[in-house]
Amino acid sequence: MQLIPMNLGPLNPDVEQLAVATVLFGAVYLLVGRFLPRINRALDERATLLEGVTGGPAAAIRREAERVRAEHETLLSEARREAARVRQAAREDGAALITEAREDGLRERAEIVVTGQARVEAERVEAEAELRGCVSEVASELASRIVGEPIPVPAANAGLLAGPGAAAPDDGAGTGTDGGPTGSGR
């Protein structure tokens, strides 16, 4: 049986099909009606979250957090610049201290070298003077050994052999001027 007595094709449903469709629609309506409040709550929460991101009280808190973060980044960058400045100053101070220590070391080295050279020169002069006195004695002794006769030490060096402040002997014994012994005993 058709609802409208005209031939409308698929637009004219049967009464039995319409009754089944109405019962099914009611069941689906009741089922969705039960879950609709939960869905609405989830949609409301989503809207609140989206509102927080785009505007509203959550957006104000977010803007405040971003402002505080920007302040912290500014302070951090200033602290980094200050640390870099302190590091640079420490490097410069360290380089200055190293240069100063190097100059002090070079100065001390120069003083030590000058003192050492003066000491070496003084010792050289002293050794040379001592050796000059001994050279004539050693030469006379060697010549005496070669010749086989005692050769006297020259009178000019006799005072040097006796040491400073000692007088040259007057008696001629040991000076070798009269052909006597030279005092070497060899």
Side-chain angles (χ1 to χ4, degrees), residues 125-137 157 160-161:
V125 167
E126 183 180 321
E128 185 178 324
E130 186 178 322
L131 287 176
R132 283 191 191 269
C134 293
V135 167
S136 61
E137 182 182 320
N157 291 332
L160 293 175
L161 291 175

Side-chain angles (χ1 to χ4, degrees), residues 114-128:
V114 168
T115 305
Q117 286 176 345
R119 185 179 299 152
V120 166
E121 184 62 27
E123 289 177 3
R124 186 190 64 79
V125 167
E126 183 180 321
E128 185 178 324

Side-chain angles (χ1 to χ4, degrees), residues 72-84:
H72 287 300
E73 287 178 1
T74 304
L75 290 174
L76 187 60
S77 65
E78 288 175 8
R80 285 182 182 141
R81 272 189 248 116
E82 180 67 19

Side-chain angles (χ1 to χ4, degrees), residues 2 5 8 13 30 43 62 64 66 76 78-79 85 93 95 102 110 112 117 132 136 139 141 154 156 161 166 184:
Q2 293 190 341
L8 297 177
L30 289 176
L43 289 176
R62 183 171 184 216
E64 179 66 19
E66 288 175 359
L76 187 60
E78 288 175 8
R85 187 188 62 75
D93 290 346
R102 184 174 289 138
I112 291 171
Q117 286 176 345
R132 283 191 191 269
S136 61
E141 187 176 327
L161 291 175
S184 63

Side-chain angles (χ1 to χ4, degrees), residues 3-180:
L3 192 59
I4 302 175
M6 289 171 108
N7 187 10
L8 297 177
L11 295 179
N12 194 3
D14 289 332
V15 176
E16 299 91 20
Q17 289 178 351
L18 194 57
V20 169
T22 305
V23 169
L24 288 176
F25 177 76
V28 168
Y29 181 77
L30 289 176
L31 187 65
V32 169
R34 265 185 128 179
F35 293 113
L36 192 61
R38 292 181 187 167
I39 294 172
N40 282 337
R41 271 196 311 264
L43 289 176
D44 288 340
E45 288 175 11
R46 180 175 177 254
T48 304
L49 290 175
L50 288 176
E51 179 183 318
V53 170
T54 58
I61 293 171
R62 183 171 184 216
R63 283 192 300 272
E64 179 66 19
E66 288 175 359
R67 184 189 63 77
V68 169
R69 181 175 174 245
E71 286 178 10
H72 287 300
E73 287 178 1
T74 304
L75 290 174
L76 187 60
S77 65
E78 288 175 8
R80 285 182 182 141
R81 272 189 248 116
E82 180 67 19
R85 187 188 62 75
V86 167
R87 275 193 309 268
Q88 183 64 26
R91 282 189 197 122
E92 290 171 0
D93 290 346
L97 289 174
I98 288 171
T99 303
E100 183 179 327
R102 184 174 289 138
E103 289 173 359
D104 288 345
L106 290 174
R107 190 177 320 110
E108 287 178 16
R109 183 185 68 93
E111 290 173 5
I112 291 171
V113 167
V114 168
T115 305
Q117 286 176 345
R119 185 179 299 152
V120 166
E121 184 62 27
E123 289 177 3
R124 186 190 64 79
V125 167
E126 183 180 321
E128 185 178 324
E130 186 178 322
L131 287 176
R132 283 191 191 269
C134 293
V135 167
S136 61
E137 182 182 320
V138 171
S140 295
E141 187 176 327
L142 286 175
S144 296
R145 284 186 186 177
I146 292 173
V147 175
E149 291 183 20
I151 298 177
V153 178
N157 291 332
L160 293 175
L161 291 175
D170 294 338
D171 59 357
T175 59
T177 55
D178 60 351

